[in-house]
């Protein structure tokens, strides 16, 4: 882990009167490697390490006791600060409020849609799931089966109905039935697929979501920034869901995206079952990123 | 880099940054750059173009050394087991490889051994229908080993050339899921010694350093013979696959380049290197 690495470096310095800038450089190199290994984007790492250096020099770390421990503390604090506050209170003040799921292929949108339905119902809201992935084989079936498992209604349209029409008709049904939250599942798509990104823009235009969650796989590497920036540029993304956090991926993508776009992490996906959704704790994720 | 300008320290810094940005990982990047610099020096390199060529050759050689790009079906029936973490493209890649093999005149069946996830069997059935390939399945919640067993028996009795077995996505830190996978493999092995002929780890090109941990765990538990690197039609470079090939000696055999059934190509190290530096 980073703390053990840094302890190792600075214990070798014990007994010396002070640690030099050169010693600090060694420590910063370790921090950089740890963050890259945790999949933090290399540009974000650069900025982050520069900020650590500033703080380290600024707090007279170089003359303090147990500098290794102090550096770890600074790094942890900075991480927590950047990762920012938790944001699991979705702003769903409309009736029906539309909550739209977007993201790359396979990130966990469909499963997360069902998890959110369970959570919102526990909070006393009446959800409707809308199956607007009209492309992937058995995608609608998948959401219908999940809806069946959790006892939440799923709005579908016949094969051949365009996604935009599924979303629009879903909203109509949600209004008619007095639904509180319409959870809209969409097809996975590439941020560089203009036609598919345009489709999302049109859907947004039609159903005006209150919340648009970008669903990102916790194991995403360096590309997290490019992907998040592209979605954020074209759509009113309000938060992130970082999925598959029950795995052992470090989740540096969260830091990358937060630093690059300011998007807050709203939830963590922590399992395949529909109860696998947790609110985000910045200090826990900071710990995990540091390893 | 890549120009007639003299190569400087800054050139090699750029190289390092490009590889890191491509998810090759810091450790493998440093090794590659050292090796490339040695090659560059030994061949009297001067320009940025020489630097680029030295690196490209180094990467291509390492990929070739582990057999990347080669895929031989093997004698009938050849069992191909698809494994990997959740959402990487296993089910879609099975459909694509099946289409390819059918196009080459092979007879085959698909086995729906993901008995856990909602609509997993239905998803494979739809592909099977499109391909005109039989799908061997049981009830949801059935033992995946039993489905794999049925599939192997069917392949033998029908004299099929191949059977492609789909499994549920699973995270490598879930020991009981990895045990289940090892058991699926054993079931196939016991029924047909020498099988599965191929165990393909499906790896998403957007994956970061966790890809190495995935490859290690799946290799240990299921005996991975090759990698299918998917979603290369995005912007991710898939550099972690290079780290896996280099450090674990697993060849990259196929590249997934889209969601359609034709979007599978034999892995091309040359094209991969181009893509790394694009
Ligand atoms: N372990 C674990 N698996 C997850 C989690 N979230 C989703 N999954 C799994 O990841 C895989 C992909 O999930 P989906 O919900 O189908 O992903 P998607 O984004 O809807 O996929 P597309 O619609 O094809 O883009 C499935 O196997 C899910 O069970 C999670 O938090 N933990
Ligand atoms: N763009 C792109 N999408 C792909 C590629 N391969 C698969 N996909 C998409 O990725 C998503 C997940 O594919 P699946 O085949 O369901 O993945 P899986 O590994 O079987 O998922 P689980 O069984 O849930 O673990 C789907 O939306 C696919 O269309 C690819 O090469 N490129
Ligand atoms: Mg989906
Ligand atoms: Mg699958």
């Amino acid at each position: 882990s980073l703390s053990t690495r840094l302890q190792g470096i600075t214990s070798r310095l014990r007994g010396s009167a002070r640690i030099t800038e050169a010693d600090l450089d060694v420590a910063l190199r370790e921090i950089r490697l740890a963050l890259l290994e945790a999949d933090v984007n290399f540009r974000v790492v650069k900025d982050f390490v520069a900020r650590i250096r500033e703080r380290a020099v600024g707090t007279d770390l170089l003359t303090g006791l147990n500098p290794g421990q102090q550096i770890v503390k600074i790094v942890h604090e900075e991480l927590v600060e950047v990762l920012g506050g938790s944001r699991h209170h979705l702003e769903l003040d409309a009736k029906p409020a539309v909550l739209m799921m977007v993201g790359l292929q396979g990130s966990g949108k469909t499963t997360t849609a069902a998890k959110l339905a369970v959570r919102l119902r526990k909070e006393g809201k009446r959800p409707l799931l809308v199956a607007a992935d009209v492309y992937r084989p058995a995608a609608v079936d998948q959401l219908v089966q999940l809806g069946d498992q959790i006892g939440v209604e799923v709005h579908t349209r016949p094969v051949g109905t365009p996604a935009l029409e599924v979303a629009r008709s879903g909203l109509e049904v949600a209004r008619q039935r007095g639904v509180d939250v319409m959870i809209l599942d969409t097809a996975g798509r590439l941020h560089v697929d203009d036609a598919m990104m345009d489709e999302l823009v049109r859907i947004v235009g039609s159903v005006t979501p209150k919340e648009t969650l970008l669903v990102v796989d916790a194991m995403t590497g360096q590309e997290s920034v490019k992907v998040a920036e592209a979605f954020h540029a074209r759509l009113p993304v309000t938060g992130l869901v970082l999925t598959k956090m029950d795995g052992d991926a470090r989740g540096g993508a969260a830091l990358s995206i937060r630093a690059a776009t300011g998007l807050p992490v709203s939830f963590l996906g922590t399992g395949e079952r529909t109860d696998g959704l947790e609110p985000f704790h910045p200090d826990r994720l900071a710990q995990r990123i540091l390893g | 880099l890549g120009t007639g300008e003299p190569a400087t320290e800054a050139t090699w810094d750029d190289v390092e940054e490009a590889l890191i940005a491509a998810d090759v990982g810091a450790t493998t990047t440093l090794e590659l750059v050292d090796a490339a610099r040695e090659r560059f020096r030994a061949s009297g390199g001067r320009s940025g173009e020489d630097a680029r060529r030295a690196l490209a050759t180094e990467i291509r050689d390492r990929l070739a050394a582990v057999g990347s790009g080669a895929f031989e079906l093997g004698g009938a029936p050849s069992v191909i087991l698809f494994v990997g973490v959740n959402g990487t493209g296993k089910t879609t890649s099975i459909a694509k490889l099946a289409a390819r093999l059918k196009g080459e005149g092979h007879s085959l069946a698909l086995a729906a051994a993901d008995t856990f996830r909602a609509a997993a069997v239905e998803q494979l059935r739809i592909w099977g229908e499109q391909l005109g390939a039989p799908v061997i399945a049981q009830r949801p919640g059935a033992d995946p080993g039993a489905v794999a067993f049925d599939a192997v028996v069917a392949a033998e009795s029908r004299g099929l050339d191949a059977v492609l077995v789909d499994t549920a996505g699973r995270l490598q830190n879930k020991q009981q899921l990895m045990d289940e996978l090892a058991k699926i493999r054993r079931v196939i092995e016991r029924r047909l010694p020498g099988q599965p002929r191929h165990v393909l780890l499906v790896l998403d090109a957007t994956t970061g350093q966790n890809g190495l941990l995935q490859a290690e765990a799946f290799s240990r538990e299921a005996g991975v013979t090759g990698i299918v690197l998917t979603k290369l039609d995005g912007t991710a470079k898939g550099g972690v696959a290079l780290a896996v090939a280099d450090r674990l000696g697993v060849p990259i055999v196929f590249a997934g380049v889209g969601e359609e059934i034709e979007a599978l190509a034999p892995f091309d190290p040359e094209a991969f290197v181009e893509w790394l530096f694009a």
Side-chain angles (χ1 to χ4, degrees):
Chain A
S1 78
L2 180 66
S3 29
T4 15
R5 280 196 226 186
L6 290 179
Q7 297 297 13
I9 293 171
T10 53
S11 67
R12 271 177 270 138
L13 306 171
R14 206 162 296 159
S16 41
R18 55 191 295 270
I19 77 171
T20 63
E21 288 254 0
D23 300 324
L24 178 60
D25 279 345
V26 174
L28 290 175
R29 202 151 44 238
E30 284 302 313
I31 293 168
R32 175 177 173 271
L33 287 178
L35 293 175
L36 286 176
E37 194 170 295
D39 293 325
V40 181
N41 178 271
F42 75 102
R43 287 203 177 97
V44 172
V45 172
K46 228 182 234 173
D47 293 343
F48 193 81
V49 170
R51 194 156 57 250
I52 300 299
R53 157 180 277 283
E54 243 175 76
R55 270 197 62 180
V57 170
T59 58
D60 259 344
L61 176 97
L62 302 181
T63 55
L65 290 173
N66 209 334
Q69 221 166 54
Q70 283 196 59
I71 295 179
V72 175
K73 183 161 164 293
I74 290 175
V75 175
H76 184 94
E77 283 174 6
E78 280 294 319
L79 278 178
V80 171
E81 186 166 329
V82 177
L83 289 169
S86 177
R87 206 180 156 269
H88 55 276
H89 288 300
L90 300 171
E91 289 173 23
L92 301 170
D93 54 340
K95 189 163 164 118
V98 175
L99 196 170
M100 184 165 88
M101 319 295 300
V102 302
L104 295 178
Q105 290 90 345
S107 58
K109 297 173 292 301
T110 304
T111 311
T112 305
K115 290 174 180 181
L116 285 167
V118 169
R119 183 183 177 87
L120 289 168
R121 193 179 46 195
K122 277 207 191 93
E123 293 176 359
K125 298 244 161 80
R126 191 170 151 223
L128 173 72
L129 287 162
V130 176
D133 178 353
V134 300
Y135 307 96
R136 170 174 151 156
V140 171
D141 206 336
Q142 185 186 2
L143 194 62
V144 166
Q145 284 190 24
L146 288 171
D148 193 66
Q149 282 175 30
I150 61 178
V152 171
E153 232 188 305
V154 182
H155 172 77
T156 67
R157 294 268 70 213
V159 172
T161 310
L164 181 59
E165 177 54 23
V166 179
R168 190 209 62 77
S169 60
L171 184 57
E172 200 167 305
V173 167
R175 277 194 190 117
Q176 289 166 4
R177 305 247 185 97
V179 159
D180 296 309
V181 188
M182 170 178 134
I183 303 167
L184 178 58
D185 186 24
T186 66
R189 68 204 64 216
L190 296 175
H191 51 305
V192 291
D193 184 336
D194 290 334
M196 289 299 276
M197 293 302 282
D198 286 345
E199 175 187 271
L200 281 181
V201 173
R202 283 198 301 280
I203 291 175
V204 166
S206 167
V207 302
T208 27
K210 279 281 168 192
E211 290 274 349
T212 299
L213 298 180
L214 177 62
V215 180
V216 175
D217 196 321
M219 65 190 193
T220 307
Q222 296 289 312
E223 218 57 18
S224 58
V225 170
K226 205 173 281 170
V227 172
E229 283 180 335
F231 275 87
H232 188 44
R234 302 214 58 196
L235 305 168
V237 181
T238 50
L240 292 180
V241 180
L242 200 64
T243 61
K244 308 173 203 173
M245 283 291 283
D246 45 320
D248 55 20
R250 302 269 287 283
L255 177 68
S256 305
I257 295 174
R258 176 77 172 152
T261 65
L263 284 173
V265 179
S266 300
F267 294 101
L268 302 179
T270 55
E272 284 198 77
R273 298 176 195 281
T274 48
D275 59 0
L277 191 75
E278 289 177 19
F280 160 67
H281 290 290
D283 57 318
R284 270 191 232 158
L285 186 57
Q287 200 70 7
R288 178 172 178 141
I289 288 175
L290 286 181
Chain B
L1 187 72
T3 65
E5 296 295 314
T8 63
E9 246 350 272
T11 310
W12 293 106
D13 286 344
D14 287 349
V15 165
E16 195 175 311
E17 196 165 82
L19 292 174
I20 299 268
D23 284 315
V24 173
T27 313
T28 305
T29 293
L30 293 177
E31 275 182 35
L32 279 176
V33 172
D34 282 349
R37 291 188 79 147
E38 183 45 35
R39 221 181 247 276
F40 175 84
R41 193 198 58 76
S43 61
R46 279 275 129 65
S47 65
E49 178 52 43
D50 294 335
R52 184 199 157 96
R53 197 172 316 114
L55 182 67
T57 313
E58 185 61 34
I59 293 173
R60 269 204 326 273
D61 283 2
R62 287 174 185 232
L63 287 171
V66 300
S68 294
F71 183 83
E72 287 293 328
L73 190 58
S78 191
V79 182
I80 309 172
L81 183 65
F82 285 73
V83 304
V85 303
N86 307 68
T88 56
K90 297 177 289 304
T91 306
T92 310
S93 299
I94 287 178
K96 293 175 182 179
L97 182 58
R100 188 174 180 84
L101 293 174
K102 287 206 84 182
E104 292 171 359
H106 296 292
S107 59
L108 51 83
L110 311 180
D114 176 356
T115 56
F116 171 75
R117 206 207 69 209
V121 175
E122 289 80 345
Q123 186 184 3
L124 194 65
R125 274 203 201 288
I126 291 172
W127 283 118
E129 209 165 298
Q130 185 174 322
L131 286 165
V135 176
I136 293 154
Q138 288 181 17
R139 204 171 337 191
D143 172 25
V147 179
F149 183 85
D150 274 3
V152 174
V153 168
E156 293 174 281
S157 67
R158 301 182 208 181
L160 300 177
D161 295 325
V163 58
L164 286 70
V165 183
D166 194 11
T167 62
R170 67 203 66 223
L171 300 181
Q172 70 274 17
N173 58 323
K174 310 229 165 152
Q175 195 51 49
Q176 75 195 56
L177 296 183
M178 297 307 280
D179 291 345
E180 177 188 83
L181 187 60
K183 173 160 168 272
I184 293 171
R185 192 218 152 88
R186 271 199 311 279
V187 164
I188 295 169
E189 219 161 17
R190 283 199 188 125
R191 179 69 199 187
L192 272 182
Q195 301 293 332
R197 176 78 175 69
H198 298 280
V199 177
L200 298 181
L201 173 66
V202 182
L203 187 59
D204 186 326
T206 65
T207 308
Q209 295 313 297
N210 196 258
L212 266 167
L213 298 179
Q214 292 173 25
E216 278 167 6
F218 279 89
S219 289
R220 191 175 55 245
E221 305 277 357
V224 171
T225 60
I227 290 173
V228 177
L229 186 58
T230 60
K231 307 179 197 173
L232 283 167
D233 47 318
T235 55
K237 304 296 179 173
V240 73
L242 174 55
V244 169
D246 197 46
R247 296 161 77 86
L248 303 181
V250 186
I252 310 171
V253 290
F254 288 110
V257 292
E259 299 191 72
E260 332 77 56
I261 204 151
E262 308 82 8
L264 187 77
F267 182 75
D268 176 359
E270 189 77 52
F272 182 71
V273 173
E274 287 293 308
W275 180 230
L276 273 183
F277 286 98

